[in-house]
Amino acid sequence: MRKNFKLLVLSFLLVFTGMFGFLTTSEAAVADYVSVTKVVNPTTITVEEEAEVSLNIKGTPPSNVIMPNDVILIIDKSGSMQTDNRINAAKNAAKGFIDLMDMSKHQVGIVGYSSVAATSSLPLTTDITAAKQFIDPIVASGGTETGYAIDQAITLLSSHRPEAQPVIVIMTDGEANSSQAALERAQAAKDAGIVFYTIALLGPNDNPDTSAPNELLKQMATTNSHHHFVLGSTGLAEIYAAIVAEIGVASAYNVVVSDIVSEDFEIVPGSYDNNIPQPVQNGNTLTWNFLELKNNDLVFKYKIRPVDKKKYGSLSVSTSASAITYNDYAGAARTKAIPGAKLNVKLLPPSITSIEESTGHPLGGETVTINGTNFQSIPTVMMGNKTVADVQYINENQLVIKTVAGNQGPATVRVTNTDGQFATGDYTYLADPVVSSYTPNSGPYVGGTSVFLYGDYFMNGMKVKFGDNYATSSKYYNKGYVVVVAPAATVSGPVDMALENPDGTSLVIPAGYTYDEPIVEKLSITSISPNSGKLSGGEVVYIEGTLLETTSKVLFGDTEVPINTFYSDKKIRVVAPSSTTPGPVDITIINNSGETATVTGGYSYEAPPVLPDPTITAIAPNSGQLKGGEIIYIDGTGFQDGMQVYIGDVEVPVNKIYSSSRFRVVVPSSTVAGSVDIKVVNPDGKEAIATGGYTYLAPPPKAPPTITAITPNSGPFTGGTLVYIEGTGIDNGAIVHIGDTSVAITNYYSASKIRVVAPSSNGFIGSVNVSITNPDGQEATFTDGYTYLELTPTITGITPNNGALAGGEIIYVTGTNFDPTMTLTVDGTEVAINQFYSNTRFRFVVPSRSTPGVVPIEVTLQSGTRASTTYTYNAPPVAAPPVITAISPAYGPLNGGTIVYLDGAGFTATSKIMLGTSEVVVNRLYSANRLRFVVPAGNAIGTVDLKVINADGQESNIVTYEYR
């Protein structure tokens, strides 16, 4: 039957391509509709392990080809489908499936089943209504005769169209009465060339991995991608829709996948049991047969293991004959090679479990047995970085070697098989140290002697013991040369020398080293630094010696000084005392025991030098003001630190000494002008005098004041203007006149600038003189320096500057020189000032006006001076036309009387309603958005136009009202 079906499909396609021209044989041969990859995991195994092989097969259907399908929906209507109302979800999803089918290409039939007696069917049809009407009366009851239902579907498909692919889509929620029968009948359907879809309707809490119904349906499906499940009924409609979308669309038909495993491996029995469909194994060949491959991934998995336990390397998993054969949509036979893959196979790695005789002499040549596992017949053995030449292979678990020479200490034994895998173990080279010579063999009691040892088998970290004490330091050069430092002795005479390696090997040289008798120290002075200083003392002196004590007495001649700092019993610090006589003195140290050490003439006091008399050669500057404070520089010779300086009879401190030939001072004040002497007296009493060396100058006569600028130089006759006067020689306390009026200085900035407030002129308009008189009577006058002006108002702002014709707006006016007695007019009409705040601000209420436009606003002072601005009366806004958005009700009887509500916008109390040609009175205005009216009697049955007209003539949109 399958062969006949293939021939019929091919015949249909040949006719179809002749009609439409896009399914030509040459075009069908161009594309490759199947892709396949092979993956091995893991990529490396041992000869005792297994690897999983995955074939990933993906279809790519042609986008412009839809094969006709004849589909039988098998719907489970057993009693269990009543749970959670599953039956209704199944019926609705099935009807949705039918609605989505393209009946110009496909046909559908239905089998509703439970028990044998209750199973019913609908033959293949393109009548969607009939198919859905068949589903509607289905109710849930009875058993689950799945095998019988599949037979009914096979029977219905026996009359399928020759050009159509037969398909079964079964949906069930429970195990079949006979699972074996269901599996056998599903296989019979697939053998007959029927594509088999399965949908498991599981409970909301079921585990799909352990569900028996789900596992059964998975085995019944054509491939794993032809099986679906849902938990509860959620998603059932989507699954049906997905199946509809892919019926008629396929990449390949009558697919045979043959994977031939390489002879280096064998297939692990049962490793492919979870594949759907399961393959047929024939030796090392696995073959999968299925009817179609769609546009999804299909994965087949199985396991392999090495056959030859001695063969290793990168081995091919399969042969080049592995391939996929299939027919494309045009019926053409195609072959797709399955790519190969490599698997890295390793022998079992060696291991070392023990090494017999794991220690030996560094010279080597000793027999050692290595025990372990997985040794190969020709291994490489290394000890440290040296290759062992003598290796005997006993068996895979034992090797016998002759050790090579090595360095004292641990050495890693490494056994490497021919495949590069290796194992390691521990071996230790042991030998007691050997001393061939050393020097010196004696030293002082206090230790510190470097001893040079020569020999062999010295290890880094080797310790050397002198009697009971270890060397204080050790330096390792190589296994035959070490230098150590002898520790201090506990007894004098010969002691044993012991060499101890870190690995426990050792050597003792009896009486190998001799300590000298200890040297007894006594109090001594070995150094005094410095050994001289001034008579004034104060010099820090360092004394070195032996057996110095913190309580030692130190004498300079007969003068005892305290120890300033005690560093150790070999060094102290003191401060030299003063002396009246130059020359050497003995330095003596006395300990508490009375032991004394003296250095005769150990410290010398130096005679001070004889200094010359000072001289004064220059004074700069040599004159200044009586107030003093002048810094003057005095040059000369013989100036000493600590000198006294006099200017006249006044001693002044030295401000700074630059050298013995220059210093500076600050001149004191004086009450009398004239010259005074400058005298310098050194600490040794020698002095120098510059007669009349500095002159105090009499002050110059004071200049009269001047006026150079007056800002501002004018202001209102009422006064109050801040006036800044600039000039020279203006004293704080000067008297200022503006005209004949004296004014106080409000701010004295400096002798060149002051500030005053202009007084009132008592009505005088014009210019007046400005004068300044200092306390000493000297005066300055600026003729016509300030001018009194008549007040002129100004308007700088008006807020707001526009408003409605109705007036009533409060207007704020800002400016200068306002007066509460001034008059205010708006467009020539006098208006009262509502509130006068100050001479810079007032407010008023704007009157109404009949026409819009700009009008003048004017203020006039009593003197007649005036200021003006403008104000704008705004035209009222144009109202928007009314709008009708709803009429309710929109109909009524011909005799009228219906109350109708209009909703919209822009309704007013004066709005009128036109119903046809009749004007209707507004019965009630609720707001600008709603009104109502009573419909008058009509003239005839039918619709009439209705609109709202406002008093300004603006009309609304038109709606209709129907007389019935």
Side-chain angles (χ1 to χ4, degrees), residues 91-111:
K91 288 163 61 178
N92 290 334
K95 289 191 289 183
F97 179 94
I98 293 168
D99 284 334
L100 293 172
M101 289 184 71
D102 182 356
M103 292 303 182
S104 68
K105 294 183 176 63
H106 308 308
Q107 292 188 119
V108 66
I110 303 168
V111 173

PDB file of all heavy atoms in Angstrom, residues 91-111:
ATOM      1  N   LYS A  91     -13.201  19.442  22.336  1.00  0.00           N
ATOM      2  CA  LYS A  91     -14.117  19.710  21.218  1.00  0.00           C
ATOM      3  C   LYS A  91     -13.825  21.088  20.610  1.00  0.00           C
ATOM      4  O   LYS A  91     -13.756  21.239  19.374  1.00  0.00           O
ATOM      5  CB  LYS A  91     -15.557  19.638  21.722  1.00  0.00           C
ATOM      6  CG  LYS A  91     -16.010  18.212  22.027  1.00  0.00           C
ATOM      7  CD  LYS A  91     -17.263  18.172  22.914  1.00  0.00           C
ATOM      8  CE  LYS A  91     -18.445  18.851  22.274  1.00  0.00           C
ATOM      9  NZ  LYS A  91     -19.649  18.751  23.115  1.00  0.00           N
ATOM     10  N   ASN A  92     -13.641  22.104  21.476  1.00  0.00           N
ATOM     11  CA  ASN A  92     -13.382  23.459  20.966  1.00  0.00           C
ATOM     12  C   ASN A  92     -12.055  23.512  20.209  1.00  0.00           C
ATOM     13  O   ASN A  92     -11.937  24.173  19.173  1.00  0.00           O
ATOM     14  CB  ASN A  92     -13.366  24.464  22.111  1.00  0.00           C
ATOM     15  CG  ASN A  92     -14.751  24.679  22.704  1.00  0.00           C
ATOM     16  OD1 ASN A  92     -15.766  24.478  22.016  1.00  0.00           O
ATOM     17  ND2 ASN A  92     -14.793  25.074  23.961  1.00  0.00           N
ATOM     18  N   ALA A  93     -11.026  22.817  20.737  1.00  0.00           N
ATOM     19  CA  ALA A  93      -9.732  22.823  20.071  1.00  0.00           C
ATOM     20  C   ALA A  93      -9.823  22.108  18.726  1.00  0.00           C
ATOM     21  O   ALA A  93      -9.225  22.547  17.728  1.00  0.00           O
ATOM     22  CB  ALA A  93      -8.683  22.163  20.954  1.00  0.00           C
ATOM     23  N   ALA A  94     -10.601  21.003  18.664  1.00  0.00           N
ATOM     24  CA  ALA A  94     -10.756  20.269  17.405  1.00  0.00           C
ATOM     25  C   ALA A  94     -11.490  21.113  16.378  1.00  0.00           C
ATOM     26  O   ALA A  94     -11.122  21.140  15.188  1.00  0.00           O
ATOM     27  CB  ALA A  94     -11.486  18.948  17.656  1.00  0.00           C
ATOM     28  N   LYS A  95     -12.528  21.829  16.815  1.00  0.00           N
ATOM     29  CA  LYS A  95     -13.249  22.708  15.873  1.00  0.00           C
ATOM     30  C   LYS A  95     -12.342  23.845  15.403  1.00  0.00           C
ATOM     31  O   LYS A  95     -12.410  24.266  14.238  1.00  0.00           O
ATOM     32  CB  LYS A  95     -14.515  23.253  16.537  1.00  0.00           C
ATOM     33  CG  LYS A  95     -15.585  22.178  16.721  1.00  0.00           C
ATOM     34  CD  LYS A  95     -16.932  22.745  17.132  1.00  0.00           C
ATOM     35  CE  LYS A  95     -16.931  23.263  18.538  1.00  0.00           C
ATOM     36  NZ  LYS A  95     -18.266  23.757  18.951  1.00  0.00           N
ATOM     37  N   GLY A  96     -11.502  24.341  16.314  1.00  0.00           N
ATOM     38  CA  GLY A  96     -10.538  25.357  15.897  1.00  0.00           C
ATOM     39  C   GLY A  96      -9.574  24.813  14.861  1.00  0.00           C
ATOM     40  O   GLY A  96      -9.169  25.519  13.922  1.00  0.00           O
ATOM     41  N   PHE A  97      -9.164  23.547  15.016  1.00  0.00           N
ATOM     42  CA  PHE A  97      -8.292  22.883  14.040  1.00  0.00           C
ATOM     43  C   PHE A  97      -8.960  22.869  12.659  1.00  0.00           C
ATOM     44  O   PHE A  97      -8.350  23.197  11.638  1.00  0.00           O
ATOM     45  CB  PHE A  97      -8.016  21.467  14.546  1.00  0.00           C
ATOM     46  CG  PHE A  97      -7.150  20.632  13.647  1.00  0.00           C
ATOM     47  CD1 PHE A  97      -5.788  20.571  13.852  1.00  0.00           C
ATOM     48  CD2 PHE A  97      -7.688  19.901  12.594  1.00  0.00           C
ATOM     49  CE1 PHE A  97      -4.975  19.801  13.039  1.00  0.00           C
ATOM     50  CE2 PHE A  97      -6.874  19.131  11.774  1.00  0.00           C
ATOM     51  CZ  PHE A  97      -5.512  19.079  11.994  1.00  0.00           C
ATOM     52  N   ILE A  98     -10.251  22.513  12.661  1.00  0.00           N
ATOM     53  CA  ILE A  98     -10.983  22.426  11.393  1.00  0.00           C
ATOM     54  C   ILE A  98     -11.107  23.810  10.760  1.00  0.00           C
ATOM     55  O   ILE A  98     -10.959  23.976   9.546  1.00  0.00           O
ATOM     56  CB  ILE A  98     -12.362  21.787  11.634  1.00  0.00           C
ATOM     57  CG1 ILE A  98     -12.177  20.313  12.062  1.00  0.00           C
ATOM     58  CG2 ILE A  98     -13.248  21.891  10.400  1.00  0.00           C
ATOM     59  CD1 ILE A  98     -13.421  19.664  12.605  1.00  0.00           C
ATOM     60  N   ASP A  99     -11.375  24.832  11.585  1.00  0.00           N
ATOM     61  CA  ASP A  99     -11.502  26.205  11.058  1.00  0.00           C
ATOM     62  C   ASP A  99     -10.215  26.667  10.381  1.00  0.00           C
ATOM     63  O   ASP A  99     -10.261  27.454   9.423  1.00  0.00           O
ATOM     64  CB  ASP A  99     -11.858  27.177  12.180  1.00  0.00           C
ATOM     65  CG  ASP A  99     -13.318  27.064  12.596  1.00  0.00           C
ATOM     66  OD1 ASP A  99     -14.140  26.645  11.761  1.00  0.00           O
ATOM     67  OD2 ASP A  99     -13.624  27.409  13.767  1.00  0.00           O
ATOM     68  N   LEU A 100      -9.078  26.206  10.883  1.00  0.00           N
ATOM     69  CA  LEU A 100      -7.797  26.663  10.347  1.00  0.00           C
ATOM     70  C   LEU A 100      -7.373  25.897   9.091  1.00  0.00           C
ATOM     71  O   LEU A 100      -6.427  26.312   8.417  1.00  0.00           O
ATOM     72  CB  LEU A 100      -6.707  26.534  11.423  1.00  0.00           C
ATOM     73  CG  LEU A 100      -6.848  27.466  12.636  1.00  0.00           C
ATOM     74  CD1 LEU A 100      -5.815  27.096  13.696  1.00  0.00           C
ATOM     75  CD2 LEU A 100      -6.663  28.917  12.209  1.00  0.00           C
ATOM     76  N   MET A 101      -8.005  24.758   8.807  1.00  0.00           N
ATOM     77  CA  MET A 101      -7.599  23.947   7.654  1.00  0.00           C
ATOM     78  C   MET A 101      -7.988  24.623   6.348  1.00  0.00           C
ATOM     79  O   MET A 101      -9.044  25.253   6.239  1.00  0.00           O
ATOM     80  CB  MET A 101      -8.233  22.550   7.722  1.00  0.00           C
ATOM     81  CG  MET A 101      -7.661  21.655   8.822  1.00  0.00           C
ATOM     82  SD  MET A 101      -8.357  20.000   8.776  1.00  0.00           S
ATOM     83  CE  MET A 101      -7.591  19.341   7.302  1.00  0.00           C
ATOM     84  N   ASP A 102      -7.118  24.504   5.352  1.00  0.00           N
ATOM     85  CA  ASP A 102      -7.396  25.010   4.003  1.00  0.00           C
ATOM     86  C   ASP A 102      -8.084  23.881   3.232  1.00  0.00           C
ATOM     87  O   ASP A 102      -7.431  22.965   2.727  1.00  0.00           O
ATOM     88  CB  ASP A 102      -6.089  25.425   3.323  1.00  0.00           C
ATOM     89  CG  ASP A 102      -6.320  26.006   1.945  1.00  0.00           C
ATOM     90  OD1 ASP A 102      -7.473  26.028   1.485  1.00  0.00           O
ATOM     91  OD2 ASP A 102      -5.317  26.434   1.306  1.00  0.00           O
ATOM     92  N   MET A 103      -9.429  23.948   3.201  1.00  0.00           N
ATOM     93  CA  MET A 103     -10.186  22.852   2.603  1.00  0.00           C
ATOM     94  C   MET A 103     -10.078  22.836   1.075  1.00  0.00           C
ATOM     95  O   MET A 103     -10.611  21.930   0.446  1.00  0.00           O
ATOM     96  CB  MET A 103     -11.652  22.937   3.039  1.00  0.00           C
ATOM     97  CG  MET A 103     -11.857  22.643   4.524  1.00  0.00           C
ATOM     98  SD  MET A 103     -11.209  21.022   4.975  1.00  0.00           S
ATOM     99  CE  MET A 103     -11.646  20.958   6.709  1.00  0.00           C
ATOM    100  N   SER A 104      -9.404  23.842   0.504  1.00  0.00           N
ATOM    101  CA  SER A 104      -9.152  23.767  -0.945  1.00  0.00           C
ATOM    102  C   SER A 104      -8.032  22.777  -1.232  1.00  0.00           C
ATOM    103  O   SER A 104      -7.849  22.373  -2.376  1.00  0.00           O
ATOM    104  CB  SER A 104      -8.789  25.152  -1.472  1.00  0.00           C
ATOM    105  OG  SER A 104      -7.528  25.565  -0.957  1.00  0.00           O
ATOM    106  N   LYS A 105      -7.273  22.398  -0.197  1.00  0.00           N
ATOM    107  CA  LYS A 105      -6.170  21.450  -0.367  1.00  0.00           C
ATOM    108  C   LYS A 105      -6.375  20.181   0.452  1.00  0.00           C
ATOM    109  O   LYS A 105      -5.942  19.114   0.069  1.00  0.00           O
ATOM    110  CB  LYS A 105      -4.836  22.085   0.039  1.00  0.00           C
ATOM    111  CG  LYS A 105      -4.392  23.222  -0.849  1.00  0.00           C
ATOM    112  CD  LYS A 105      -3.032  23.738  -0.415  1.00  0.00           C
ATOM    113  CE  LYS A 105      -2.507  24.827  -1.340  1.00  0.00           C
ATOM    114  NZ  LYS A 105      -3.339  26.032  -1.346  1.00  0.00           N
ATOM    115  N   HIS A 106      -6.994  20.310   1.641  1.00  0.00           N
ATOM    116  CA  HIS A 106      -7.058  19.197   2.594  1.00  0.00           C
ATOM    117  C   HIS A 106      -8.492  18.698   2.769  1.00  0.00           C
ATOM    118  O   HIS A 106      -9.471  19.379   2.437  1.00  0.00           O
ATOM    119  CB  HIS A 106      -6.513  19.641   3.960  1.00  0.00           C
ATOM    120  CG  HIS A 106      -5.156  20.283   3.898  1.00  0.00           C
ATOM    121  ND1 HIS A 106      -4.092  19.681   3.270  1.00  0.00           N
ATOM    122  CD2 HIS A 106      -4.697  21.474   4.388  1.00  0.00           C
ATOM    123  CE1 HIS A 106      -3.031  20.462   3.359  1.00  0.00           C
ATOM    124  NE2 HIS A 106      -3.375  21.576   4.026  1.00  0.00           N
ATOM    125  N   GLN A 107      -8.616  17.496   3.386  1.00  0.00           N
ATOM    126  CA  GLN A 107      -9.894  16.936   3.833  1.00  0.00           C
ATOM    127  C   GLN A 107      -9.741  16.535   5.296  1.00  0.00           C
ATOM    128  O   GLN A 107      -8.618  16.297   5.762  1.00  0.00           O
ATOM    129  CB  GLN A 107     -10.270  15.698   3.009  1.00  0.00           C
ATOM    130  CG  GLN A 107     -10.610  15.982   1.564  1.00  0.00           C
ATOM    131  CD  GLN A 107     -11.162  14.761   0.868  1.00  0.00           C
ATOM    132  OE1 GLN A 107     -12.274  14.750   0.394  1.00  0.00           O
ATOM    133  NE2 GLN A 107     -10.364  13.689   0.812  1.00  0.00           N
ATOM    134  N   VAL A 108     -10.867  16.453   5.992  1.00  0.00           N
ATOM    135  CA  VAL A 108     -10.835  16.050   7.388  1.00  0.00           C
ATOM    136  C   VAL A 108     -11.936  15.025   7.648  1.00  0.00           C
ATOM    137  O   VAL A 108     -13.031  15.118   7.090  1.00  0.00           O
ATOM    138  CB  VAL A 108     -10.995  17.271   8.321  1.00  0.00           C
ATOM    139  CG1 VAL A 108     -12.356  17.900   8.193  1.00  0.00           C
ATOM    140  CG2 VAL A 108     -10.722  16.877   9.777  1.00  0.00           C
ATOM    141  N   GLY A 109     -11.596  14.035   8.472  1.00  0.00           N
ATOM    142  CA  GLY A 109     -12.573  13.096   8.993  1.00  0.00           C
ATOM    143  C   GLY A 109     -12.394  12.986  10.482  1.00  0.00           C
ATOM    144  O   GLY A 109     -11.386  13.454  11.044  1.00  0.00           O
ATOM    145  N   ILE A 110     -13.373  12.388  11.193  1.00  0.00           N
ATOM    146  CA  ILE A 110     -13.336  12.384  12.662  1.00  0.00           C
ATOM    147  C   ILE A 110     -13.724  11.004  13.169  1.00  0.00           C
ATOM    148  O   ILE A 110     -14.637  10.361  12.636  1.00  0.00           O
ATOM    149  CB  ILE A 110     -14.295  13.436  13.240  1.00  0.00           C
ATOM    150  CG1 ILE A 110     -13.946  14.828  12.688  1.00  0.00           C
ATOM    151  CG2 ILE A 110     -14.248  13.449  14.772  1.00  0.00           C
ATOM    152  CD1 ILE A 110     -15.014  15.860  12.977  1.00  0.00           C
ATOM    153  N   VAL A 111     -12.998  10.567  14.227  1.00  0.00           N
ATOM    154  CA  VAL A 111     -13.385   9.378  14.993  1.00  0.00           C
ATOM    155  C   VAL A 111     -13.511   9.809  16.443  1.00  0.00           C
ATOM    156  O   VAL A 111     -12.534  10.267  17.047  1.00  0.00           O
ATOM    157  CB  VAL A 111     -12.343   8.246  14.852  1.00  0.00           C
ATOM    158  CG1 VAL A 111     -12.700   7.089  15.795  1.00  0.00           C
ATOM    159  CG2 VAL A 111     -12.254   7.765  13.422  1.00  0.00           C
TER     160      VAL A 111
END
